[in-house]
Amino acid sequence: MVEMMQLIAGTNWIVLAFAALIFDIPRYTFSLLSLSLLGLTRRPQKDDALVRASVTVIVPTFNGGSGLGVSIASLRQQTLQPLEIIVVDDGSTDETRATAERARALGLVDMVICHGTRCGRSAAINAAARFATGDLLLTVDADTIFEPTAVARLASAFNDPRVAGASCNIAISNDRHSLWTGLQSIEYLMSISAGRTILDIVGAIACLSGACSMYRRDVFVQQGGLDVGPGEDLEFSLRLRRLGYLVRFVPEAWAETAGPVGGIGLLRQRARWDRDALRIRFMMYGELRFFHRLERLPDTLQRLDFILFDLVPTLSLPFYLVYLVALFGADAVLFLAAIYILLLWISLFNLALAFVLFNRSSGLFSLGASLIFPFYQGVYLKCARFFSYSSEILFATSRHDDFVPPRVRRALFADRT
């Protein structure tokens, strides 16, 4: 241990600074400390009477029958009752349609739309939006469960007429199911709860969560709804920003969603997210440049957040490791072990502070998962993201993601191949 500390103490500060950038953990420390000092996580709670808009809930689902009933029940227990709930069965082969029809018969759901074949999430939401009558559209995944005040708090963001989209805070509902879900629970607390709260303060929210997002209906319809290609939530969020609307994150509005329970499922999910983010940001919206003419400061900040804290560290990781071997030789492993121990202590501090700031509870399982969280966040996901970015840059692999049905994908890219 003493040898490790001596190795760190004698290392050039630039090498240490780049380690902090590469392995992410200190980034969340900055966010959490900023929130603590500013006291901005303790915002006044919104009263239902302040919400002046009606809400239509759209639940698109493909084989999501197992969680649909619980999600609908949580929506019907809201302090701000939805004006209507529309379920879109997007060509499911499980009990989704039967569950939705039972809910409609009980008066819990107002409309059920059934697609004979799978058309994709975007098409399902766009189809339901044509029948919606609420001032606001709340799009949710079939496995999303809401706290009773979530819809009211989310809708209150739209009292500002400049806001066209907002998303809520998200926790992992099955966090004790496996080590992977436990790690995702910590990750969501850091990257979504802490990370997006500080980004919202500076107006730099770039992506409305697919699990739970709310839109102003007239703007949504006027813009033609969601893009049918991959990464539709990010694309529409960036489109709203380009049009001059505000995109918000409401940390007081909580929802829970199920995370992948295995490592392979998690890698597939993140590979799709990462490839879509790179394609949309740089190929569709040309965000690689550090500055754009006539761009607002919040738009610059949201781009730089992705470039400086995501893209650059990810693509630099293998070269950084090679540099460490060249610099330290056999002591490179010792240096990385010392960095890990340091990051572990910082990570435990972050976790404790986040639990206090966001009023979340912790158990022994979460504490156990936190011991390997620096490896999960800084190495496992970073390496996976490197391969995702590389495959997208070299082979445009997002065109082949099965999240978009094959026939829709063929029509989408027919004139581009």
Side-chain angles (χ1 to χ4, degrees):
M1 182 68 71
V2 174
E3 187 178 356
M4 289 182 179
M5 294 302 103
Q6 290 175 339
L7 187 60
I8 289 182
T11 301
N12 187 294
W13 70 270
I14 297 178
V15 177
L16 294 176
F18 210 74
L21 183 67
I22 288 282
F23 297 114
D24 271 345
I25 303 298
R27 172 189 178 190
Y28 301 122
T29 307
F30 172 79
S31 298
L32 290 164
L33 288 176
S34 298
L35 292 173
S36 301
L37 294 174
L38 295 173
L40 291 174
T41 56
R42 302 296 186 183
R43 302 178 183 179
Q45 294 188 358
K46 312 295 183 183
D47 184 61
D48 293 354
L50 296 177
V51 179
R52 299 185 291 269
S54 56
V55 178
T56 292
V57 179
I58 299 175
V59 188
T61 177
F62 171 69
N63 289 344
S66 60
L68 183 59
V70 178
S71 181
I72 292 171
S74 73
L75 287 166
R76 285 305 182 187
Q77 294 171 359
Q78 293 297 301
T79 56
L80 175 64
Q81 279 290 302
L83 175 67
E84 57 195 357
I85 298 177
I86 303 175
V87 176
V88 185
D89 174 15
D90 189 33
S92 299
T93 57
D94 66 352
E95 71 277 12
T96 294
R97 182 172 183 177
T99 302
E101 291 291 358
R102 282 197 300 268
R104 186 174 66 84
L106 294 171
L108 301 176
V109 167
D110 299 275
M111 182 182 298
V112 178
I113 300 173
C114 297
H115 290 168
T117 57
R118 184 172 170 233
C119 300
R121 183 176 183 274
S122 297
I125 292 174
N126 293 342
R130 296 171 52 201
F131 300 96
T133 58
D135 301 312
L136 305 173
L137 301 178
L138 174 61
T139 64
V140 303
D141 287 345
D143 62 353
T144 304
I145 304 171
F146 295 86
E147 290 191 356
T149 58
V151 173
R153 291 176 173 175
L154 196 55
S156 66
F158 292 84
N159 288 340
D160 184 343
R162 299 171 299 171
V163 175
S167 62
C168 65
N169 217 333
I170 300 176
I172 295 294
S173 58
N174 57 341
D175 60 328
R176 295 174 183 266
H177 195 281
S178 70
L179 178 62
W180 298 107
T181 56
L183 289 167
Q184 289 171 74
S185 179
I186 299 173
E187 177 195 4
Y188 275 42
L189 188 62
M190 297 300 163
S191 62
I192 296 180
S193 300
R196 293 194 183 184
T197 298
I198 199 70
L199 289 174
D200 181 69
I201 291 171
V202 297
I205 294 295
C207 182
L208 298 173
S209 171
C212 171
S213 292
M214 187 174 282
Y215 308 97
R216 202 175 292 277
R217 182 173 65 88
D218 57 350
V219 175
F220 186 91
V221 173
Q222 183 182 20
Q223 294 304 314
L226 299 177
D227 185 83
V228 298
E232 75 288 340
D233 45 2
L234 173 61
E235 190 282 326
F236 195 73
S237 304
L238 293 178
R239 197 192 320 172
L240 291 177
R241 294 191 66 96
R242 289 291 179 94
L243 293 169
Y245 293 106
L246 296 184
V247 177
R248 295 292 312 278
F249 172 74
V250 184
E252 308 91 347
W254 280 94
E256 294 185 346
T257 188
V261 297
I264 300 300
L266 177 63
L267 285 178
R268 287 174 178 168
Q269 179 197 67
R270 298 310 169 86
R272 176 170 56 82
W273 288 1
D274 294 334
R275 290 193 295 260
D276 291 348
L278 194 67
R279 181 183 66 87
I280 290 168
R281 283 182 175 276
F282 297 143
M283 298 179 188
M284 292 184 66
Y285 283 89
E287 291 196 331
L288 184 58
R289 289 180 296 169
F290 271 46
F291 296 100
H292 285 236
R293 288 187 62 225
L294 306 179
E295 184 177 63
R296 299 174 302 169
L297 179 59
D299 296 312
T300 302
L301 292 176
Q302 71 86 11
R303 289 193 304 103
L304 293 183
D305 175 70
F306 178 78
I307 294 172
L308 295 178
F309 297 113
D310 193 332
L311 183 67
V312 170
T314 297
L315 297 181
S316 301
L317 177 60
F319 304 101
Y320 178 71
L321 295 178
V322 170
Y323 173 73
L324 289 183
V325 172
L327 182 65
F328 293 107
D331 288 337
V333 175
L334 189 65
F335 175 79
L336 289 172
I339 290 294
Y340 186 85
I341 292 174
L342 181 61
L343 292 179
L344 177 60
W345 283 107
I346 297 174
S347 180
L348 293 173
F349 171 79
N350 290 349
L351 184 61
L353 187 55
F355 280 135
V356 173
L357 287 174
F358 295 99
N359 196 27
R360 311 306 288 180
S361 60
S362 173
L364 292 177
F365 190 83
S366 296
L367 291 176
S370 66
L371 296 177
I372 61 173
F373 181 71
F375 176 83
Y376 166 83
Q377 180 78 20
V379 179
Y380 182 78
L381 290 184
K382 194 77 70 179
C383 289
R385 190 172 297 125
F386 175 83
F387 285 108
S388 298
Y389 286 170
S390 300
S391 67
E392 183 63 22
I393 292 171
L394 296 174
F395 307 110
T397 48
S398 64
R399 292 189 175 193
H400 307 289
D401 284 342
D402 60 4
F403 186 75
V404 177
R407 61 189 178 85
V408 176
R409 187 172 60 242
R410 285 194 297 269
L412 181 65
F413 295 114
D415 57 349
R416 307 182 194 178
T417 56

